Amino acid sequence: MIPKITTGKSGTRRLIAYLYGPGKHNEHTDQHMIASWNGFAPDPRAGSHHTIAQLARQLDQPLALRGDLAPATTVWHCSLRAAPQDRTLTDEEWADIARRVVAATGIAPEGDLEACRWVAIRHADDHIYIAATLVRQDGRIARRTYDYKQAQATCRQIETDYGLRRLNPGDGTAAKRPTSKEHFKAHRQGQTRTSREVLRTRVRQAVTAAANEAEFFAVLDRMGVLVTTRVAPSGDLLGYTVALPGDVNAKGQPVTFAGSTLAPDLSLPRIRERLAATDTTAPAAATAAPAATPKRHRPNPWHQATAATDRIPHLLTHTGDDAAAQAHLAALGEALDSLPALTPPTIATELQHAATAFERATRSRIRAEHHQARALRTAVKTILRTPAPADDSALAMFLDAALLAVIAARHWHHIRHHRQQEAAARQALTHLHTAYTRAAAAPIAALAQHRPPQDAARRYIHHLRQALPEHAEQILTDPAWPALQAALAQAENAGHTPGELLNRIVRLRSLDDVRSPAHVLIWRIHRLAHRPAPSARALAAHARSIHNRNSATPATALAQPAPQSPQGARRPAR
């Protein structure tokens, strides 16, 4: 059940007239009162001899007694809406819910006979409205400290008591929802998203693409966003507002939104923190280096972004550094924001849904140390400045790593009781998996056409059984096994040793929590194989290191603590 509270100046009669009226789109039906402060307030429903003016006068009577001492804010309005899948509540049930909400919010505490006057009106099956005046009957002004927070807590208990859909409790870091007026306006204009939602997406994408503050505003301008800045007398920039061209109010003025009203992390100070945590030299070098640097020596930004994303699960589950973890979740959200502009429409739609869902999982009460995620953020900005890859392999490789990172994010939020963020990560996974499946289909099929000879395939099977005995049978029966053979053959042709490459991948990260180990191996081999093969001297040194560790005395071996997972629980499989 979702409560929404608004307040305003004296306008009780206008509010009551709207609640008993047909609505802006004739959506109000059977308008009637279900509860009131005294149980017998006049109900101006259809067929009644009571009038709207009569009810408004009774509600405003305590306000009139204060005369010139009346407060500036006099009207309190709360809507309560059940979820679409909830059963239809009776008038008596809605009346009980209304009484519990006005009691919890300080409008009418239980047993307080001198509290504010209020009425609850129903004109639809799934919601009610509560209208109240903020002057108590004893002439004092109502004390409603944290009324919205109290209403939320009460609704969570009401959901349990009435068997309704239970919503996840928030922590105050969610972006503000579009108002009903914004939804109606978007519907009239034939838009599927409100201006607030469109602007939030564009501002997030601009932050992802920009290397500094000036470029952030330049990117917004190229996106067609109208930007107005607020400047101090000293000339310092204090803030900004954004609007969409053609989106105007009744006076013909642009409907503007401050960055902080789009989302808590889109205020100018928070954007500056994220921009400062970027290596501004790397994106600039990406546009200048291609002509002067041999291709084989250029760092691949897709590989860099994938490598940084590949490290996120370990960071979230083993380091215990929450500030760094929160920074990487924010950077991963920025990466997802950037992908729709780089992909075909069939994939871009799912990626946009994934980015929109995961946006909620990028914020919590934990303050991020954004410099900790510099590598991922810088790689993404470099990707946006370089030509798109010739095929979908780079995208599929990154999405494979992103899936594991989002699974880890879901688990990280779960153990910290971030219910809304956990649900957002779960929702993002659905869209992200669909996008990965579409992106990986063509490159996996192309790889499978280059299967190695039978003798090489037998060697790869041997290496696979040696490196991953617990996953070997699953991999060998996976439809992607031919593509994995081809990836190993390409790596071997580039100078890598297949057995050592597989062992190296296993050492980097366990495959226990993935749905398709074969797919994960393909993309890790694809990425690692693009690095220079280790020299004979490096391989010999590594072999000596392993031999020395295996030759350790029993006492030494016993003195070394066994690695343990601090969380004590495995994540669910992708």
Side-chain angles (χ1 to χ4, degrees):
M1 180 168 291
I2 301 175
K4 181 181 177 182
I5 295 174
T6 56
T7 58
K9 299 179 180 180
S10 181
T12 308
R13 179 169 179 172
R14 185 167 62 251
L15 174 59
I16 296 298
Y18 168 74
L19 297 180
Y20 274 96
K24 294 185 177 181
H25 302 278
N26 295 314
E27 69 273 19
H28 298 174
T29 59
D30 189 24
Q31 303 90 320
H32 61 283
M33 186 184 303
I34 58 171
S36 68
W37 76 95
N38 57 7
F40 50 86
D43 182 8
R45 64 192 306 170
S48 170
H49 64 279
H50 297 298
T51 66
I52 290 174
Q54 183 182 8
L55 175 58
R57 280 196 302 271
Q58 289 204 21
L59 285 169
D60 281 344
Q61 189 175 34
L63 174 65
L65 294 176
R66 285 188 66 100
D68 294 339
L69 298 178
T73 301
T74 60
V75 179
W76 187 86
H77 177 207
C78 176
S79 63
L80 296 167
R81 186 178 298 272
Q85 59 267 48
D86 285 338
R87 63 183 176 85
T88 301
L89 299 172
T90 65
D91 280 356
E92 290 72 21
E93 288 173 322
W94 274 120
D96 176 64
I97 291 170
R99 294 187 189 98
R100 292 172 65 169
V101 170
V102 294
T105 55
I107 296 298
E110 189 173 356
D112 187 350
L113 301 179
E114 300 297 326
C116 299
R117 295 187 175 188
W118 61 273
V119 293
I121 298 167
R122 184 178 188 179
H123 54 214
D125 287 340
D126 62 347
H127 66 277
I128 65 169
Y129 290 88
I130 304 173
T133 50
L134 291 175
V135 175
R136 293 165 46 89
Q137 295 185 79
D138 59 11
R140 293 183 293 148
I141 298 174
R143 299 183 62 181
R144 50 183 187 88
T145 306
Y146 303 115
D147 54 351
Y148 180 73
K149 184 177 181 180
Q150 295 298 333
Q152 288 280 2
T154 301
C155 286
R156 300 295 81 78
Q157 185 60 48
I158 289 171
E159 291 162 357
T160 300
D161 295 345
Y162 281 91
L164 307 177
R165 178 193 175 193
R166 300 184 64 180
L167 300 183
N168 294 312
D171 58 5
T173 62
K176 187 176 180 180
R177 294 174 179 270
T179 65
S180 58
K181 291 182 179 180
E182 292 172 17
H183 278 299
F184 283 133
K185 184 176 183 179
H187 180 73
R188 290 196 306 271
Q189 296 175 344
Q191 305 295 328
T192 58
R193 305 174 70 203
T194 65
S195 295
R196 182 190 299 273
E197 293 169 317
V198 172
L199 286 168
R200 182 184 301 140
T201 298
R202 293 187 183 180
V203 172
R204 287 178 61 85
Q205 290 173 340
V207 174
T208 303
N212 52 59
E213 189 173 310
E215 191 173 356
F216 165 67
F217 290 116
V219 172
L220 284 177
D221 183 67
R222 291 197 296 270
M223 289 180 172
V225 176
L226 304 177
V227 181
T228 303
T229 55
R230 184 163 55 93
V231 182
S234 61
D236 295 331
L237 185 61
L238 300 178
Y240 72 100
T241 60
V242 289
L244 290 178
D247 184 23
V248 296
N249 57 23
K251 298 180 180 179
Q253 300 169 332
V255 179
T256 61
F257 298 87
S260 58
T261 64
L262 295 175
D265 58 341
L266 296 183
S267 66
L268 187 58
R270 300 292 292 275
I271 287 175
R272 283 170 170 165
E273 290 178 8
R274 291 153 71 182
L275 293 176
T278 305
D279 182 2
T280 57
T281 62
T287 59
T293 307
K295 185 175 181 180
R296 64 181 180 274
H297 297 313
R298 296 179 213 154
N300 187 315
W302 283 95
H303 290 187
Q304 292 175 319
T306 302
T309 304
D310 237 350
R311 291 190 288 269
I312 292 178
H314 177 80
L315 174 68
L316 295 182
T317 57
H318 291 85
T319 65
D321 189 342
D322 282 0
Q326 185 63 61
H328 278 81
L329 293 182
L332 178 59
E334 292 179 24
L336 296 179
D337 287 333
S338 69
L339 292 180
L342 304 173
T343 55
T346 55
I347 301 175
T349 300
E350 290 296 330
L351 288 177
Q352 185 60 66
H353 291 321
T356 300
F358 193 70
E359 181 260 350
R360 180 66 189 97
T362 63
R363 293 188 306 274
S364 71
R365 285 289 184 183
I366 299 170
R367 189 64 179 265
E369 293 182 359
H370 289 294
H371 66 277
Q372 299 276 9
R374 186 186 301 271
L376 176 56
R377 183 172 284 110
T378 302
V380 171
K381 293 183 189 300
T382 305
I383 287 172
L384 293 172
R385 288 167 166 77
T386 54
D391 55 43
D392 289 335
S393 61
L395 174 64
M397 177 182 62
F398 176 80
L399 291 180
D400 180 74
L403 276 166
L404 298 177
V406 174
I407 290 173
R410 181 185 64 184
H411 180 71
W412 188 81
H413 283 306
H414 173 76
I415 63 177
R416 286 159 181 78
H417 306 290
H418 300 164
R419 299 304 182 213
Q420 290 186 356
Q421 292 89 334
E422 179 190 358
R426 184 182 300 108
Q427 182 182 359
L429 274 174
T430 301
H431 298 292
L432 201 58
H433 191 271
T434 301
Y436 167 77
T437 302
R438 294 175 182 175
I444 291 290
L447 264 177
Q449 295 177 2
H450 301 281
R451 296 177 64 174
Q454 286 297 323
D455 58 336
R458 285 193 291 270
R459 285 192 295 107
Y460 298 155
I461 293 175
H462 172 73
H463 292 314
L464 183 68
R465 294 188 187 278
Q466 291 289 320
L468 294 102
E470 67 277 20
H471 298 294
E473 294 307 318
Q474 180 185 357
I475 294 172
L476 292 174
T477 57
D478 194 304
W481 167 236
L484 177 54
Q485 295 179 58
L488 285 168
Q490 290 180 358
E492 189 171 22
N493 291 336
H496 293 270
T497 304
E500 175 55 32
L501 195 59
L502 287 170
N503 287 326
R504 182 180 178 188
I505 291 172
V506 173
R507 288 194 301 270
L508 286 175
R509 188 181 182 280
S510 169
L511 299 179
D512 291 340
D513 55 358
V514 302
R515 177 180 296 179
S516 174
H519 279 248
V520 175
L521 288 174
I522 287 170
W523 301 122
R524 290 185 180 175
I525 291 170
H526 180 78
R527 177 164 57 86
L528 294 176
H530 279 73
R531 300 179 182 178
S535 64
R537 179 179 297 180
L539 290 175
H542 181 68
R544 287 195 300 271
S545 174
I546 294 177
H547 176 75
N548 291 337
R549 285 202 304 268
N550 293 338
S551 302
T553 63
T556 304
L558 290 174
Q560 297 178 0
Q564 296 181 356
S565 170
Q567 309 301 347
R570 283 172 49 185
R571 295 186 300 281
R574 165 162 64 86

